Amino acid sequence: DIQMTQSPSSLSASVGDRVTITCQASQDISNYLNWYQQKPGKAPKLLIYDASNLETGVPSRFSGSGSGTDFTFTISSLQPEDIATYYCQQYDNLPPRYTFGQGTKLEIK
Amino acid sequence: EVQLVESGGGLVQPGRSLRLSCAASGFTFDDYAMHWVRQAPGKGLEWVSGISWNSGSIGYADSVKGRFTISRDNAKNSLYLQMNSLRAEDTALYYCANPTSDYWGQGTLVTVSS
């Protein structure tokens, strides 16, 4: 089974900071990687799909990059409304299978 | 508007069974694979099980394999999760979802406790 290692597990940053989260797969997953944002009491929200594509309606300060085993998620200028937990997720289609990273809890300094 | 509405959660004793249901609307249900994703209180997201559009391909997390069974009824636009031999560690909010399409329900809470 593919394992996803996400880091850091928590992060404190100031408004306007550039924030970076990484995710490493235990084997090559090409670009089959998504990034989600989850706010307390809410379902997750898709931000980035296929490693680097911005979901419709998501602000352009969010971006993703990488392929193979190493992936990066970036917020270019942190805003107060970005406080949430962020997850990477690898996916397979046959059989349908997902693996989530452990999550990164982002807080304002 | 896409809607996924889960039901069937509740308090159940260890070793007992529970069946979750998910009613889908607002999209062509039988065009999509569907999944169950759970989140234990204060913990991260865990994928539980997924089923292809025609039920021809099914996957389970190792933690539930042999105890949980996923199924769907495309005629009823519904997804199901039969959960047997429940354990305390199965306590979680269970989401019906197609995460890659960003379709999520509000979740149904399953609590396994004596």
Side-chain angles (χ1 to χ4, degrees), chain B residues 13-58:
Chain B
Q13 293 179 327
R16 303 298 292 266
S17 298
L18 211 56
R19 188 191 196 212
L20 305 184
S21 299
C22 171
S25 61
F27 65 105
T28 306
F29 182 71
D30 54 12
D31 276 352
Y32 291 84
M34 293 298 296
H35 300 261
W36 291 97
V37 175
R38 69 184 180 184
Q39 188 166 35
K43 302 297 184 183
L45 300 170
E46 180 187 17
W47 174 80
V48 173
S49 182
I51 185 168
S52 64
W53 67 275
N54 64 351
S55 304
S57 185
I58 287 173

Side-chain angles (χ1 to χ4, degrees), chain A residues 1 34 36 38 41-46 49 55 87 89 91-102, chain B residues 33 35 37 39 43-47 50-52 57-62 95 98-102 104-105:
Chain A
D1 292 357
N34 299 331
Y36 296 85
Q38 188 180 32
K42 301 291 188 182
K45 172 184 167 63
L46 178 66
Y49 66 94
E55 177 73 350
Y87 296 91
Q89 175 221 52
Y91 64 92
D92 286 319
N93 291 321
L94 289 173
R97 184 177 188 89
Y98 292 153
T99 305
F100 287 94
Q102 299 91 331
Chain B
H35 300 261
V37 175
Q39 188 166 35
K43 302 297 184 183
L45 300 170
E46 180 187 17
W47 174 80
I51 185 168
S52 64
S57 185
I58 287 173
Y60 296 99
D62 289 344
Y95 291 104
N98 182 303
T100 52
S101 299
D102 208 21
W104 297 84

Side-chain angles (χ1 to χ4, degrees), chain A residues 49-71:
Chain A
Y49 66 94
D50 294 346
S52 60
N53 296 290
L54 192 67
E55 177 73 350
T56 302
V58 173
S60 59
R61 64 180 179 274
F62 296 100
S63 65
S65 63
S67 66
T69 61
D70 294 303
F71 301 86

Side-chain angles (χ1 to χ4, degrees), chain A residues 4 7 19 21 23 26 29-30 33 38 43 46 50 52 54 58 62 70 79 91 98-99 103-105:
Chain A
M4 304 301 296
S7 63
V19 170
I21 299 169
C23 197
S26 58
I29 60 169
S30 184
L33 185 106
Q38 188 180 32
L46 178 66
D50 294 346
S52 60
L54 192 67
V58 173
F62 296 100
D70 294 303
Q79 300 302 303
Y91 64 92
Y98 292 153
T99 305
T104 297
K105 186 174 184 179

